[in-house]
Amino acid sequence: MAEKVRVRFAPSPTGKVHIGNIRAAIFNWLYARHTGGEFLLRVEDTDLERSTPEAIRTLLDCMQWLGLDYDGEVMYQTSQRAHHLAVAEELLAKGYAYKENKGGQGECVIFRMPKEGVIEYDDLVKGHMKKQAKDTQDFVIVRSDGSPVFHLANVLDDITQGVTHIIRGDDHVENTFKHIMLFKAIGAPVPQYAHLPMIVNAAGKPYSKRDGSAFVGEFREQGYLPETLFNYLALLGWAPGDDREIMTREEMVAAFDFAKCKASPARFDLKKLTWMNGEYIAHQPRAAFEQAFDARLQTAGLPVEPLNGHRQELLDQIQPRTKTYADIPGNCAWFFEEVYPFDAKAVTKRLHGEGIPALLEEIAAALEALPDFTVEAGEARIRAMGEEKGCGMGPLVHPIRVAVSGRMEGPGLFEMLWLLGRERTLRRLRETAARLREGTL
């Protein structure tokens, strides 16, 4: 009977959770759920200055938000310190380690690496890996102050938790050669390793804060859905083997396989993430979108109730056009308030042409004369006006949109005018024309 898979996510909480770290958690979680194994959480909290209770809460909150449920209790590395030091003493006694004074600061415990032969293993992502023993160096496992170093603590905690597969970033490849020898010296079975490709920017360099948002909390604040971020990060280094990109959690669990993981660096593409988020938002239940919609309006100081009804009709227009929740206030300010911001680029491009004030006044008069102010009637009248002028609709619809909303993008123009109503539409067209004549816009 095959050994039950046990994987772990072992972050060092610092107050912010990097997308590279949470991507490793996602791959561990997917593999555990795919195999029917266990996904364990170990908090490597030995850095007491950075691993504060608040930092640990932030970590746990991010995991909960992303739906990364773990099995059993959380292990805190500091609770294992006595065990770490006891094993270090055993390694000293067996000759696998020795003591040395480093820089006059006291004696460190140093692990003795072999000097002959080859250290090798089969990586589930990168394939066969090997290193000549003569190219390795001995390394510290207990500092002069008596604190265990990452290498020793990490390996011993994996043994304690019965970890069978270690899935982590390929920045740990060199550490793995050290860790394999520690496992062997301690007399424990060596787990299987899978080293995930680094997440890089457009230039192929490691993705960092300089490239944009890099922490889970930032994407959450900007209005990305947890489903989106989970889905997108799962595809950074793995693909299901077909053309699927937007997948349910269940579909990802069923399809996950290390044979489909890539060893080459995975490029982070914000445009693709944003596109994917828009797709998730467009297919959200209305109640969920409406809750986020109201929260974003309230945070921005906008009223939740529109001035003239049509709330659900507005949501019909806004939901499929929302890429992130952060877009909501800007996309809707024109509807909820009479004093709305004008985008400077939109004004320059669409309203500063010759004859625009007169054109807006002419359009206002045409719309005012309509027997019924409907979507269909408004579109038919503007289309006819474009034909009369021999210019088509384009030179008319763009100035109208900016005049009534301050933006170049948004719902369908004639749906927008209907949502505003005839009175508000006419007033905005004429007020914009007046401001253009005065030079105040």
Side-chain angles (χ1 to χ4, degrees), residues 103-165:
Q105 299 297 313
E107 285 191 321
C108 299
V109 179
I110 298 175
F111 184 76
R112 198 188 307 275
M113 288 291 281
K115 297 299 180 281
E116 296 179 354
V118 176
I119 306 169
E120 54 190 333
Y121 68 97
D122 290 314
D123 192 291
L124 294 171
V125 175
K126 301 176 78 68
H128 189 69
M129 305 290 287
K130 65 180 180 179
K131 191 178 185 73
Q132 295 294 323
K134 62 182 175 61
D135 295 329
T136 66
Q137 294 182 328
D138 298 352
F139 57 94
V140 175
I141 56 174
V142 179
R143 300 180 186 89
S144 58
D145 65 2
S147 59
V149 169
F150 159 77
H151 302 295
L152 180 65
N154 192 265
V155 166
L156 287 175
D157 291 345
D158 284 333
I159 294 169
T160 298
Q161 291 190 291
V163 172
T164 62
H165 295 71

Side-chain angles (χ1 to χ4, degrees), residues 37 50 95 97 105 120 138 168 203 230 241 255 259 264 315 332 353 382 403:
R50 303 176 76 192
Q105 299 297 313
E120 54 190 333
D138 298 352
R168 58 189 181 186
F230 186 107
S264 56
L315 292 172
C332 299
I382 299 303

Side-chain angles (χ1 to χ4, degrees), residues 51-366:
S51 298
T52 63
E54 183 180 0
I56 293 171
R57 279 195 300 272
T58 298
L59 166 69
L60 296 176
D61 185 47
C62 281
M63 292 185 67
Q64 182 180 27
W65 183 67
L66 285 165
L68 289 166
D69 56 311
Y70 50 87
D71 301 300
E73 297 296 319
V74 182
M75 174 190 274
Y76 291 91
Q77 194 168 72
T78 50
S79 68
Q80 303 298 306
R81 179 167 175 160
H83 175 55
H84 300 159
L85 296 177
V87 172
E89 289 298 324
E90 292 176 13
L91 292 172
L92 281 166
K94 294 177 180 178
Y96 288 113
Y98 58 93
K99 289 186 176 182
E100 185 176 291
N101 191 297
K102 288 281 189 180
Q105 299 297 313
E107 285 191 321
C108 299
V109 179
I110 298 175
F111 184 76
R112 198 188 307 275
M113 288 291 281
K115 297 299 180 281
E116 296 179 354
V118 176
I119 306 169
E120 54 190 333
Y121 68 97
D122 290 314
D123 192 291
L124 294 171
V125 175
K126 301 176 78 68
H128 189 69
M129 305 290 287
K130 65 180 180 179
K131 191 178 185 73
Q132 295 294 323
K134 62 182 175 61
D135 295 329
T136 66
Q137 294 182 328
D138 298 352
F139 57 94
V140 175
I141 56 174
V142 179
R143 300 180 186 89
S144 58
D145 65 2
S147 59
V149 169
F150 159 77
H151 302 295
L152 180 65
N154 192 265
V155 166
L156 287 175
D157 291 345
D158 284 333
I159 294 169
T160 298
Q161 291 190 291
V163 172
T164 62
H165 295 71
I166 296 175
I167 305 165
R168 58 189 181 186
D170 65 8
D171 53 327
H172 281 287
V173 165
E174 286 302 313
N175 289 335
T176 296
F177 292 107
K178 299 175 182 178
H179 294 180
I180 286 172
M181 299 315 300
L182 272 169
F183 276 109
K184 290 182 176 180
I186 293 165
V190 178
Q192 286 193 273
Y193 284 92
H195 288 96
L196 310 176
M198 294 295 290
I199 299 176
V200 298
N201 60 19
K205 304 293 184 183
Y207 187 85
S208 70
K209 179 63 180 170
R210 291 188 298 275
D211 302 304
S213 298
F215 302 105
V216 173
E218 293 174 317
F219 290 100
R220 184 177 184 178
E221 289 168 7
Q222 291 163 15
Y224 289 88
L225 274 62
E227 299 90 338
T228 306
L229 194 59
F230 186 107
N231 190 162
Y232 182 73
L233 292 177
L235 297 176
L236 288 183
W238 170 77
D242 49 36
D243 293 330
R244 285 181 295 170
E245 289 188 312
I246 295 178
M247 303 171 67
T248 66
R249 198 72 57 106
E250 293 73 24
E251 288 170 337
M252 284 183 271
V253 166
F256 190 80
D257 184 352
F258 279 117
K260 297 171 185 174
C261 289
K262 303 169 187 174
S264 56
R267 187 170 73 87
F268 187 87
D269 185 344
L270 183 60
K271 288 184 179 178
K272 186 169 184 178
L273 172 65
T274 304
W275 164 79
M276 184 178 283
N277 201 58
E279 292 295 304
Y280 269 98
I281 289 176
H283 293 92
Q284 263 192 309
R286 172 55 58 84
F289 177 75
E290 197 163 358
Q291 184 177 9
F293 182 85
D294 288 352
R296 292 282 171 164
L297 289 182
Q298 289 169 346
T299 299
L302 292 170
V304 172
E305 288 302 322
L307 297 175
N308 60 340
H310 301 319
R311 176 182 165 87
Q312 290 303 317
E313 292 84 353
L314 174 70
L315 292 172
D316 290 340
Q317 294 293 317
I318 295 296
Q319 183 169 352
R321 291 173 171 83
T322 299
K323 300 303 180 187
T324 72
Y325 286 157
D327 297 337
I328 288 172
N331 288 346
C332 299
W334 57 269
F335 186 71
F336 288 93
E337 292 192 323
E338 286 309 301
V339 179
Y340 48 95
F342 277 80
D343 177 72
K345 290 182 180 178
V347 171
T348 300
K349 186 172 183 179
R350 303 301 188 192
L351 297 182
H352 282 176
E354 185 177 349
I356 295 295
L359 176 65
L360 293 177
E361 289 166 347
E362 182 182 354
I363 290 169

